[in-house]
Amino acid sequence: MPEKKRERRDPELRRAEILKAALACFAERGFAATRMEDVAARAGIAKGTVYLHFPDKERLFIELVSGIASPILGEVGGMIQNETIPARTVVSMFYSLFKREVLETERRHMLRLILAEGPMFPVVTEFYHREIITKGLAILRVVLGRAAARGELRNPAVAEVPQLVMAPALMTVVWATLFEGYEHLDAQKLFDTFLNTLFVPEGGAK
C-alpha cells in the first residue's frame, strides 16, 4: 500500500523537479539558448523523461509562467468580489504579492525573458497575453472603474488605461535584472509612491 501511494505521487514530484530545473536553466542561459537536454541534466534525469511530461520547451516555459501568475491573479481577483474593499487595498495587495512571489525570487527572470526574447517565440507571448495580461487587465478595469465612480482616483481617466498599474511592477523587474548592480531601487517605496500618485488620500483632499 505505501509503495502504490508513492508511485502515484512520483509523476507530480518529477514534474516539479523538471520545472525547478527549467527555471534555473532559463534564468542562466535564456530561453533560446536552453535545450531540453540542459533541463534534463540539471534535473538529473534522462532527456526522454522530460518529454514524457512536457512536449517541448515552449510548454515548459508556459507552465512556469502560468504557475507564477495564476495564484496572484486568483487572490487579487477574489478580492474584487467584495465591493466594499477599497481599490487602493486591492492594487496594494497586487504589488505585495508581485514583490514576494516574483521580484524577490528567481521567477523575476521569467518576465525578463518574455520582454527580451518573446518576439522570437509567438506561442509563448500569445499565451502570456491571453492567459495573464488579458485576465489581469480585466481585474484592474473592474477595480479602477469602481475607484473612478467613487472618486478615489486623482485622475479618473486612469480607469481607461489599466496598463498604468502594471507599469511599476514591470519597471522593478527591468531594474532588478539590468541596473541593480549600479544603483539600488527600493521597490516598496516605488509602489507606495505610485499608490499615492494614483489614489486620492482618505478624506478626499487631492
Side-chain angles (χ1 to χ4, degrees), residues 10-23 39 42-45 54:
D10 281 348
E12 289 305 314
L13 293 174
R14 180 67 75 197
R15 188 180 181 87
E17 291 170 357
I18 293 170
L19 288 170
K20 182 179 179 181
L23 176 58
V39 176
R42 177 63 68 97
I45 58 177
F54 302 96

Side-chain angles (χ1 to χ4, degrees), residues 78-95:
M79 293 181 72
I80 68 173
Q81 303 305 314
N82 185 345
E83 296 186 15
T84 65
I85 298 178
R88 178 174 179 139
T89 300
V90 178
V91 176
S92 179
M93 175 59 70
F94 164 68
Y95 289 146

Side-chain angles (χ1 to χ4, degrees), residues 82-185:
N82 185 345
E83 296 186 15
T84 65
I85 298 178
R88 178 174 179 139
T89 300
V90 178
V91 176
S92 179
M93 175 59 70
F94 164 68
Y95 289 146
S96 295
L97 289 170
F98 181 86
K99 183 171 179 285
R100 186 183 74 213
E101 300 297 332
V102 179
L103 187 60
E104 294 177 348
T105 73
E106 290 301 299
R107 294 167 174 172
R108 66 185 181 276
H109 295 296
M110 302 300 293
L111 285 182
R112 173 179 59 82
L113 292 176
I114 290 172
L115 292 172
E117 302 184 49
M120 295 183 289
F121 302 96
V123 171
V124 173
T125 52
E126 191 276 333
F127 170 86
Y128 189 79
H129 179 265
R130 183 184 72 248
E131 297 297 327
I132 297 170
I133 296 297
T134 299
K135 292 179 180 180
L137 289 176
I139 292 171
L140 290 175
R141 285 190 176 96
V142 173
V143 172
L144 296 175
R146 289 176 184 168
R150 296 169 180 171
E152 297 174 359
L153 294 174
R154 289 183 182 273
N155 182 353
V158 169
E160 300 174 14
V161 280
Q163 292 88 343
L164 283 172
V165 174
M166 292 184 172
L170 292 176
M171 178 63 195
T172 61
V173 170
V174 171
W175 196 276
T177 56
L178 293 178
F179 307 122
E180 186 64 23
Y182 305 101
E183 181 179 350
H184 174 64
L185 174 64

